Amino acid sequence: MADVLFWSELRQRLDGVLVEQQAMSISAYVQISTVVNTYLKAAEVETAVEEVRQWVTAYVNRQLAVIARRLQKLERGPSLIDAYVAQWQYFAQASQALSGSLGQAVGFGMREAMAQAWYTTVFRRVAADVAAAMVALVDDARKDGGVDDPQLLSKLSCVLAELRPAHAPELPGGEPLGVYFAWYLEPYVWAAVRHVESRTGHLRTPGSTREYIRLVARLIDDEERRAEAYLRPESVESLRCVLAQRFVAGSLAAIHAEAEFMLAADSEDLRSAFCLLRRVPADRKAMQPLRDAFRAYVAQHTLAAMPSLAELNPNEASVSSLAFARNAVDWLIAELNRLRAMTARCFDDDRGFNQSLVAGLREALNSKAFLSKGHPQLEAPRLLAGYFGLLLQTDSALALELAAAHPTGFENAVESRARDALQLCELVDSKDKLMYHYRSLLARRLVTDSSANVDLERTVVAMLTPLTGIGNTNRINDMLTDMNLSHTLFADYRPSMTLGSLNVSVKVLNHILWCGNLSSELSRALIVPRQVSAACDEFVGVYNSRYRSASGNSRNLQWLWAYSKATIQLYFPHSVGRVAQTGYTLVVNAYQLAILALFTDSSCLGSAAQQLTPAEISLHIKLRLDAVKSELAVLARAGILVANQSSDAVMMNSSFNSRRLRIDISGIKRMRQETMTETAKIDSYVDSERYLQIQSAVMKEMKRCLSIHHTRLLNLVTTRYESKFLVERTVFKRVIGVLLDDKYIRHKEGDLNIYEYIA
């Protein structure tokens, strides 16, 4: 009789919790625990605990079956979802409370048993209906652009997310309770696939690829944003993989082909193609063809779109003009900025596309096709060196424009332009040639006093150091220091000299530092006017009296007349106006001074010459005939000399007149631009330097390794000098051949690809 009363009371207590679904109260569960504990203490049968457990489980299953039948009668819609969520939330709370109240009496594990009961009795019966109802809601959202009850969807997603495999018991067949969510995820994903397919199926034709890319990218983005609201975060990846496999992976060839056309047109749809391709798993390497196409586009477009020399300089008569350097580099900087903006806009600054951009631009700058845009001698290292020269040259058009635009921030403006140019310098392979041209232009700026600012020169050199190596910039810093010492030296000697009416400024430079950058071939035997010669001799005497070598011998000073100029006052007998008495102030170079002295200084030839032929002038002043003719052409264009109509002789223009009182015909500017055409000399010098460096590197590696394979040796040498220049295989083979002939190394017996060092 007691057992019957116990089961009746236990049913009554559980009915109040599970059937009537009263408000959760601690007292209700305490009463259940009290009833069970009292019965178990009174019962002396060992199986009483198991009987209670089985009875409670069977009771829960009966009540859940009632709930399942009630849910099955509801229509597939929000009411079904709402009822399911309400039942599950209450049952989950009741399960937790019952597990706590009965745990000590019948053993722990009641919560897991009740969760398993919910899965087998309720969820298996209504899961398909609930999933269909949720998918229907999502489909309505796709059609209408909104969601009928987003709170409901979020609530159900949270409920399903609580059933995680890590905390769930094993079900029959080994399936964890995590399959709850799979019932909803799989229908949801395939509903999304059907939706995208219905919208894009008609676009899978050759002529509709671009529209297909645009629409698929937008639809997949919409589905991913929707899934983030309706699914667990870790489940969004499943949706992304399925959509990518169905709508992207199967159309890779068409997307890649269309993307190449988009690149040429810089289309906004290019971003859509990129967004589609990055959804494909990395192991498919779907992005690499687009990166390769972008690199080829950058190289080809740069060469095709870059204006030629004639287009950039329509009014320039000479292709050696540095104006092309300025215009070309400005265009390349603007193009680099455009391409980087395109990479950020279309490819989200993807690292791979940035690398393709750099590789494509490097290919263009170092290709032989680049030379066809200008004079064959205007290669990238020469152009960039010329651009730096224009930035730092006081009287260049670029420097004057920057000074006018930034009167108080000229240095900052120059540094900003220099940083822009450095981006291109990083892409140039022949950095040693770049620095050679830079040193040549620097030498001419310093010698002709046309450098904007020595501190600014040092700043730019410091910017170049990380790129080209400290070995290249140390010599430049030494040149700047040597020029500063020269100014100090002449300031000390000047008071000791008696130069009469001449105002002389002399620069004494170290031959070791400046050789190769300043040419002196034309000026060694030049005969200058007697006054100038006397001043030079006096300076040499004062210098030698104060400064002698360690052995006591005087140092040899060699005058560089090619870089000298003079300011003279010249009178013309038949000039009219106010200049008839004052004359004209002429700025001339040393060659022009020597030529004019033959016509104006009686001390040169015993009397001032009336007319002279170029050959006679060359003989008298010891200057090469071609150089004499070049300077005579300048003087003739200025109107100072005129040609004899009956012969090739020239004479002074006694009726010379000009609106300007001061006329600069020194040609120093022209001389600074001549470095742009010195290709034969510079290339020969750079090639010889590279040969010696490669030879030195080969010998160092041979001494270190003693025996090494040809390919490994080439790779080591290439790596050593990759920051300066590219090691050409032909030069490397020539070095190896010479070392083999001179018996510094030898082939290993039986293997010609391995070299051995001969000690």
Side-chain angles (χ1 to χ4, degrees):
M1 186 67 180
D3 291 348
V4 174
L5 293 176
F6 165 71
W7 298 117
S8 175
E9 185 177 2
L10 181 59
R11 180 184 296 107
Q12 181 182 359
R13 299 295 182 187
L14 290 175
D15 285 345
V17 175
L18 296 179
V19 179
E20 299 175 9
Q21 296 190 359
Q22 300 172 351
M24 304 296 294
S25 62
I26 298 177
S27 60
Y29 293 98
V30 170
Q31 292 174 5
I32 295 173
S33 176
T34 302
V35 170
V36 172
N37 286 326
T38 302
Y39 171 74
L40 293 178
K41 288 180 180 179
E44 298 179 355
V45 182
E46 295 181 357
T47 60
V49 173
E50 185 60 28
E51 289 178 358
V52 172
R53 180 193 294 273
Q54 292 178 359
W55 189 92
V56 171
T57 302
Y59 174 84
V60 169
N61 281 326
R62 288 194 301 272
Q63 301 305 322
L64 291 180
V66 174
I67 294 174
R69 287 192 296 271
R70 188 185 308 134
L71 292 174
Q72 284 178 315
K73 294 179 181 180
L74 299 177
E75 295 182 359
R76 294 181 178 181
S79 59
L80 172 61
I81 299 173
D82 197 13
Y84 176 84
V85 171
Q87 291 291 342
W88 162 252
Q89 289 179 334
Y90 183 84
F91 183 76
Q93 296 174 4
S95 300
Q96 183 177 2
L98 285 174
S99 176
S101 61
L102 300 178
Q104 294 182 351
V106 299
F108 295 100
M110 284 298 299
R111 184 180 182 185
E112 290 76 7
M114 294 179 72
Q116 182 173 337
W118 176 274
Y119 175 79
T120 56
T121 307
V122 179
F123 186 78
R124 278 188 175 275
R125 297 183 183 182
V126 299
D129 294 337
V130 173
M134 293 192 66
V135 171
L137 284 182
V138 177
D139 282 340
D140 291 339
R142 292 189 180 100
K143 297 174 183 177
D144 302 335
V147 181
D148 294 338
D149 193 351
Q151 292 81 11
L152 194 62
L153 292 171
S154 177
K155 187 186 300 182
L156 181 58
S157 179
C158 293
V159 171
L160 297 178
E162 292 179 0
L163 301 172
R164 299 173 184 171
H167 304 291
E170 293 295 325
L171 298 175
E175 293 181 337
L177 285 180
V179 298
Y180 270 57
F181 198 75
W183 283 78
Y184 169 48
L185 176 62
E186 186 173 353
Y188 180 96
V189 169
W190 288 109
V193 170
R194 289 193 299 273
H195 172 67
V196 177
E197 182 69 39
S198 66
R199 297 288 302 277
T200 61
H202 66 287
L203 296 177
R204 293 197 173 187
T205 56
S208 305
T209 305
R210 183 168 300 194
E211 187 177 354
Y212 175 83
I213 291 172
R214 188 188 307 122
L215 184 58
V216 168
R218 181 172 62 80
L219 291 175
I220 292 181
D221 282 341
D222 292 343
E223 289 301 328
E224 288 181 358
R225 286 194 297 269
R226 190 175 289 114
E228 288 174 357
Y230 303 158
L231 303 178
R232 290 185 298 180
E234 58 268 27
S235 299
V236 178
E237 186 62 30
S238 301
L239 172 70
R240 183 180 292 115
C241 291
V242 172
L243 293 177
Q245 184 65 31
R246 287 294 294 267
F247 301 103
V248 183
S251 305
L252 285 180
I255 294 175
H256 289 148
E258 188 64 27
E260 293 187 20
F261 292 105
M262 295 178 185
L263 280 170
D266 193 6
S267 172
E268 294 295 332
D269 295 329
L270 191 60
R271 175 172 175 77
S272 298
F274 168 75
C275 292
L276 287 181
L277 292 175
R278 71 177 174 183
R279 289 182 169 86
V280 179
D283 57 353
R284 294 288 302 274
K285 296 183 179 180
M287 199 69 73
Q288 192 57 43
L290 183 57
R291 293 192 181 111
D292 295 339
F294 183 59
R295 179 192 56 76
Y297 161 76
V298 171
Q300 296 170 7
H301 180 269
T302 301
L303 293 174
M306 180 179 174
S308 65
L309 174 64
E311 294 170 334
L312 289 176
N313 301 277
N315 300 320
E316 290 289 343
S318 174
V319 295
S320 63
S321 173
L322 285 175
F324 180 65
R326 177 209 173 159
N327 295 332
V329 173
D330 280 344
W331 186 90
L332 288 170
I333 291 173
E335 180 68 7
L336 175 60
N337 292 333
R338 184 190 72 83
L339 291 170
R340 283 183 171 168
M342 178 180 176
T343 305
R345 184 181 72 253
C346 298
F347 307 125
D348 289 345
D349 261 337
D350 180 79
R351 180 180 179 183
F353 282 93
N354 279 317
Q355 292 174 346
S356 297
L357 167 60
V358 171
L361 204 54
R362 175 178 282 112
E363 180 181 336
L365 289 178
N366 297 288
S367 68
K368 294 182 179 179
F370 182 81
L371 300 180
S372 65
K373 288 296 179 179
H375 192 275
Q377 301 164 353
L378 298 178
E379 54 187 349
R382 198 183 309 275
L383 289 178
L384 290 168
Y387 188 80
F388 283 112
L390 292 174
L391 279 175
L392 299 169
Q393 181 178 310
T394 309
D395 54 352
S396 71
L398 178 57
L400 293 175
E401 289 177 12
L402 292 177
H406 309 278
T408 59
F410 173 71
E411 289 80 3
N412 293 334
V414 171
E415 290 180 24
S416 177
R417 289 292 190 97
R419 278 192 292 270
D420 291 339
L422 279 175
Q423 300 177 65
L424 298 177
C425 293
E426 294 177 4
L427 307 177
V428 174
D429 291 338
S430 302
K431 294 182 177 63
D432 55 341
K433 188 176 291 188
L434 165 66
M435 294 309 297
Y436 185 88
H437 288 296
Y438 186 93
R439 287 199 306 271
S440 297
L441 290 171
L442 171 67
R444 286 156 175 79
R445 288 197 302 275
L446 296 177
V447 168
T448 57
D449 295 324
S450 60
S451 175
N453 188 319
V454 174
D455 292 334
L456 198 56
E457 294 277 7
R458 292 189 182 276
T459 299
V460 174
V461 171
M463 295 167 66
L464 286 167
T465 300
L467 180 64
T468 62
I470 194 171
N472 281 318
T473 54
N474 272 346
R475 183 172 177 180
I476 294 178
N477 284 318
D478 291 342
M479 290 169 64
L480 293 170
T481 302
D482 190 52
M483 181 58 69
N484 186 48
L485 291 175
S486 174
H487 290 310
T488 304
L489 179 69
F490 184 73
D492 292 341
Y493 290 171
R494 183 67 176 81
S496 303
M497 300 175 63
T498 58
L499 301 175
S501 60
L502 293 181
N503 184 11
V504 178
S505 175
V506 180
K507 297 180 178 66
V508 181
L509 305 177
N510 189 320
H511 175 74
I512 296 177
L513 293 176
W514 298 78
C515 67
N517 297 316
L518 297 176
S519 175
S520 60
E521 295 178 359
L522 298 179
S523 58
R524 291 176 178 173
L526 182 70
I527 298 178
V528 295
R530 194 167 295 178
Q531 285 180 297
V532 176
S533 178
C536 293
D537 292 341
E538 182 180 357
F539 176 80
V540 171
V542 173
Y543 179 84
N544 287 336
S545 66
R546 294 195 176 188
Y547 191 90
R548 293 180 178 274
S549 62
S551 60
N553 297 323
S554 300
R555 291 201 169 187
N556 180 26
L557 295 181
Q558 179 179 310
W559 294 98
L560 301 181
W561 296 114
Y563 305 97
S564 303
K565 64 179 180 179
T567 302
I568 61 175
Q569 200 75 10
L570 195 59
Y571 299 88
F572 297 89
H574 299 140
S575 295
V576 295
R578 57 176 181 171
V579 296
Q581 300 298 325
T582 59
Y584 291 93
T585 302
L586 300 182
V587 181
V588 296
N589 60 37
Y591 304 152
Q592 295 165 351
L593 178 64
I595 293 172
L596 291 176
L598 297 177
F599 296 96
T600 59
D601 189 353
S602 59
S603 63
C604 293
L605 299 177
S607 62
Q610 296 298 320
Q611 62 179 15
L612 292 170
T613 64
E616 292 173 336
I617 295 174
S618 175
L619 180 63
H620 288 309
I621 66 174
K622 304 300 182 183
L623 184 64
R624 247 174 28 203
L625 183 59
D626 58 338
V628 170
K629 290 181 177 179
S630 176
E631 298 302 336
L632 288 177
V634 174
L635 293 169
R637 283 198 301 270
I640 298 173
L641 295 181
V642 294
N644 190 325
Q645 299 296 331
S646 59
S647 65
D648 62 346
V650 295
M651 64 185 73
M652 288 291 294
N653 181 9
S654 59
S655 301
F656 175 79
N657 281 287
S658 176
R659 295 181 180 180
R660 294 179 297 167
L661 298 181
R662 181 183 177 88
I663 305 171
D664 188 349
I665 58 171
S666 61
I668 296 297
K669 294 180 183 178
R670 186 176 68 257
M671 177 273 298
R672 288 197 294 268
Q673 296 169 358
E674 285 174 359
T675 98
M676 300 294 290
T677 58
E678 296 175 354
T679 54
K681 176 183 175 182
I682 293 176
D683 290 345
S684 175
Y685 175 82
V686 171
D687 290 343
S688 63
E689 286 288 315
R690 288 181 180 179
Y691 179 87
L692 294 175
Q693 292 180 58
I694 293 173
Q695 188 180 66
S696 174
V698 168
M699 289 304 298
K700 288 179 181 178
E701 295 298 338
M702 291 302 305
K703 289 181 180 179
R704 184 175 64 87
C705 300
L706 298 181
S707 178
I708 189 171
H709 193 277
H710 174 89
T711 303
R712 174 166 171 74
L713 180 60
L714 175 60
N715 291 336
L716 290 172
V717 175
T718 301
T719 303
R720 178 187 290 267
Y721 293 114
E722 63 182 355
S723 63
K724 296 181 179 180
F725 57 88
L726 290 180
V727 176
E728 298 181 4
R729 292 179 179 271
T730 55
V731 179
F732 180 79
K733 290 181 179 179
R734 184 153 53 93
V735 169
I736 293 296
V738 171
L739 294 177
L740 287 170
D741 293 340
D742 293 344
K743 300 188 183 306
Y744 288 102
I745 61 176
R746 66 189 174 196
H747 290 293
K748 182 180 180 180
E749 186 175 355
D751 192 344
L752 297 179
N753 290 321
I754 297 179
Y755 305 117
E756 293 180 337
Y757 177 67
I758 301 177

